[in-house]
Amino acid sequence: YALASSAAPDPEQAILYGIFGTSLTAMAMLSLAGIVLSIDAFGPIADNAGGIVEMTGMGEENRKVTDEIDAVGNTTKAVTKGFAIASAGLAALAMMQAFQFEAAEIFHGVLELDYTLTNPAVTIGLLVGGLIPFIISG
């Protein structure tokens, strides 16, 4: 956001350039979804290989090999989960920035909107919103 907004040719449009930079970053991460999904498929395949070796009684040396492959599968699973969380967070950030910009344009001079984390209502709303799934499912 800061890099894109500082590169804006028109200082009055710096916010739009920052939003555009954030959305480009999110789209760049999301464009790799096919690669991430194919990497994510490695974990269950390696786990199934270990199960087949165990069920067929192929020996302890084969099981050691499949255990090492399974460890790599677990690592790739963790990496792809982190990638998914980061790309979803960037996409949500871009949407929030766009919403804030549009709301500020619509309510200019009518209503002063404060979405900063120093605003207690915003912080409490984030905490309560994050707890709603736990309250509903618990």
Side-chain angles (χ1 to χ4, degrees), residues 15-43:
I15 294 174
L16 277 179
Y17 279 85
I19 294 169
F20 184 67
T22 304
S23 62
L24 278 183
T25 306
M27 287 307 300
M29 288 188 76
L30 290 172
S31 68
L32 299 174
I35 296 168
V36 172
L37 286 174
S38 64
I39 293 170
D40 198 26
F42 180 75

Side-chain angles (χ1 to χ4, degrees), residues 90-113:
L90 272 175
L93 178 65
M95 287 192 316
M96 277 300 295
Q97 287 175 338
F99 170 76
Q100 289 176 355
F101 179 78
E102 288 296 322
E105 290 292 317
I106 291 171
F107 295 114
H108 183 70
V110 178
L111 180 64
E112 184 64 34
L113 300 173

Side-chain angles (χ1 to χ4, degrees), residues 32-134:
L32 299 174
I35 296 168
V36 172
L37 286 174
S38 64
I39 293 170
D40 198 26
F42 180 75
I45 293 169
D47 194 34
N48 289 342
I52 290 170
V53 167
E54 188 175 332
M55 287 189 293
T56 57
M58 294 177 73
E60 189 61 33
E61 62 278 352
N62 291 329
R63 184 64 184 155
K64 286 180 183 177
V65 170
T66 57
D67 283 345
E68 290 176 13
I69 294 172
D70 189 35
V72 173
N74 292 339
T75 303
T76 58
K77 189 78 165 169
V79 168
T80 55
K81 281 183 183 179
F83 189 88
I85 291 169
S87 62
L90 272 175
L93 178 65
M95 287 192 316
M96 277 300 295
Q97 287 175 338
F99 170 76
Q100 289 176 355
F101 179 78
E102 288 296 322
E105 290 292 317
I106 291 171
F107 295 114
H108 183 70
V110 178
L111 180 64
E112 184 64 34
L113 300 173
D114 180 21
Y115 290 109
T116 61
L117 291 177
T118 57
N119 183 355
V122 172
T123 306
I124 292 170
L126 287 171
L127 291 173
V128 171
L131 289 174
I132 285 177
F134 297 106

